[in-house]
Amino acid sequence: MRTVLVVLFDDVQSLDVTGPIEVFAGADVYRGGSYGIVTASLDGAPVRTSSGLTLVPDHSLADAPAPHTLLVPGGPGTRDADPRLIDWLRRHGPRAERLVSVCTGAGLLAEAGLLDGRRVTTHWAYCAELARDHPAIEVDPDPIYVRDGNVATSAGVTAGIDLALALVEEDLGRDAALTIARHLVVFLRRPGNQAQFSAQLAVQTAQREPLREVQQWITEHPGDELSVESLAARARLSPRHFARAFQAETGMTPGRYVDRVRLEHARRLLEDTTDGVEEISRACGYGTPEAMRRAFVRTLAASPAEYRRRFHPAR
């Protein structure tokens, strides 16, 4: 039985709490006796989440059982945390076999001195602040979660579910994690270094409808002929006007956006299918495996074959 102790405080993000709890609870249903989930606040009093929900903890932190996994969620309440909570984390955090944070919960672990010398992540909007306030920490703004020894930190909100699934996979195996992911109707995201941003989120959405439609078309048809001329025709603009307008409204040239979408699509196919590299290169618009290899090496410093070896799970 692995005790998962979830720390609660006022203005906590509710999904940071309930997302991982649902994963660990599902794992305990899958294999009884695997996890015992305990929630605790400083004084054992109910807390009000940032969305207005009231959560009633099982214990006060003083009375909580020693955890195997200590999970610290995020939310607005991390920005002005009670000093007693930081002190409790400083004293009890090192005793846990596994330290886990979701979103800005990393800030509480950092305040307690538990992340010094570690590589961590948090919600993209707070990475720069975390790095500035805690120079002894290496903050990586890109991954959805990061593992460094017995410390695991995740990006914003739903990334806590991804991290919890990865921990269940480590503890109980891939079949258990996959079963829970299917039950929760979420992806089983194996590689923690998948980007927090998809290609679509990394750029602005165009204001004008024809340009938005082109963005969507690129996403849905990465294998098509996506030259500036063909995209401009779809937007019913001249190529020159289209290229200027697309960059002005999205912050990225059409060619760069197409490159990002194609690379993201190829990564997903390498991670989630057994399709061959040649088939994937055609499906993603690269034309040849060599063209796709050059794109991977240029952007990810790894060939498609190496990327698949690292991130495609053993069947």
Side-chain angles (χ1 to χ4, degrees):
M1 174 74 73
R2 301 170 181 84
T3 300
V4 179
L5 174 57
V6 183
V7 177
L8 302 182
F9 46 87
D10 282 326
D11 264 348
V12 68
Q13 162 69 251
S14 57
L15 194 55
D16 287 5
V17 175
T18 58
I21 281 179
E22 290 294 341
V23 172
F24 290 119
D28 197 59
V29 171
Y30 176 87
R31 187 175 298 170
S34 296
Y35 297 99
I37 302 165
V38 178
T39 57
S41 65
L42 263 175
D43 301 316
V47 302
R48 188 172 178 83
T49 72
S50 57
S51 60
L53 295 174
T54 297
L55 302 179
V56 181
D58 300 310
H59 300 280
S60 68
L61 285 174
D63 298 329
H68 170 278
T69 298
L70 177 60
L71 191 150
V72 182
T78 62
R79 302 191 66 80
D80 189 24
D82 192 313
R84 294 178 300 158
L85 175 57
I86 303 301
D87 183 62
W88 186 92
L89 289 172
R90 184 179 296 113
R91 288 184 291 111
H92 293 270
R95 303 175 189 176
E97 292 190 38
R98 197 157 58 192
L99 276 176
V100 177
S101 70
V102 182
C103 196
T104 54
L108 298 182
L109 294 182
E111 288 291 333
L114 300 173
L115 300 184
D116 288 355
R118 302 280 190 173
R119 175 174 168 262
V120 306
T121 194
T122 186
H123 190 290
W124 61 268
Y126 300 98
C127 283
E129 179 180 329
L130 183 63
R132 183 191 67 234
D133 293 344
H134 301 279
I137 300 171
E138 179 187 350
V139 182
D140 190 338
D142 292 327
I144 57 173
Y145 60 82
V146 168
R147 304 290 304 278
D148 187 340
N150 72 329
V151 175
T153 54
S154 65
V157 197
T158 55
I161 296 174
D162 295 305
L163 176 53
L165 285 168
L167 298 177
V168 168
E169 182 173 6
E170 175 184 296
D171 295 339
L172 305 182
R174 185 175 185 277
D175 287 345
L178 183 57
T179 298
I180 297 157
R182 286 172 174 163
H183 180 72
L184 296 177
V185 199
V186 297
F187 290 109
L188 176 58
R189 298 189 182 277
R190 283 115 3 228
N193 71 342
Q194 284 184 333
Q196 292 193 34
F197 281 135
S198 67
Q200 292 87 338
L201 290 177
V203 300
Q204 306 167 50
T205 300
Q207 297 179 5
R208 283 179 278 183
E209 187 173 350
L211 297 180
R212 289 200 304 271
E213 290 177 353
V214 167
Q215 284 183 285
Q216 187 64 29
W217 172 265
I218 295 170
T219 302
E220 294 174 353
H221 303 84
D224 284 14
E225 203 277 316
L226 299 176
S227 65
V228 169
E229 289 73 19
S230 64
L231 296 176
R234 180 165 291 278
R236 298 175 296 279
L237 298 171
S238 71
R240 185 178 178 183
H241 185 190
F242 168 78
R244 278 204 314 267
F246 190 96
Q247 182 165 8
E249 295 197 15
T250 69
M252 185 178 293
T253 66
R256 181 62 178 148
Y257 185 74
V258 168
D259 288 344
R260 284 201 175 193
V261 169
R262 283 177 167 163
L263 185 69
E264 181 178 318
H265 190 57
R267 289 172 65 178
R268 287 176 178 170
L269 292 178
L270 288 168
E271 292 165 8
D272 298 331
T273 75
T274 57
D275 295 348
V277 170
E278 185 170 355
E279 184 179 355
I280 291 174
S281 67
R282 289 197 304 268
C284 297
Y286 288 109
T288 67
E290 177 58 23
M292 188 169 88
R293 189 193 72 80
R294 288 196 300 268
F296 267 68
V297 171
R298 181 173 61 250
T299 306
L300 304 174
S303 69
E306 182 182 354
Y307 185 87
R308 170 166 271 173
R309 280 195 300 271
R310 292 171 60 191
F311 299 129
H312 187 72
R315 298 297 181 185

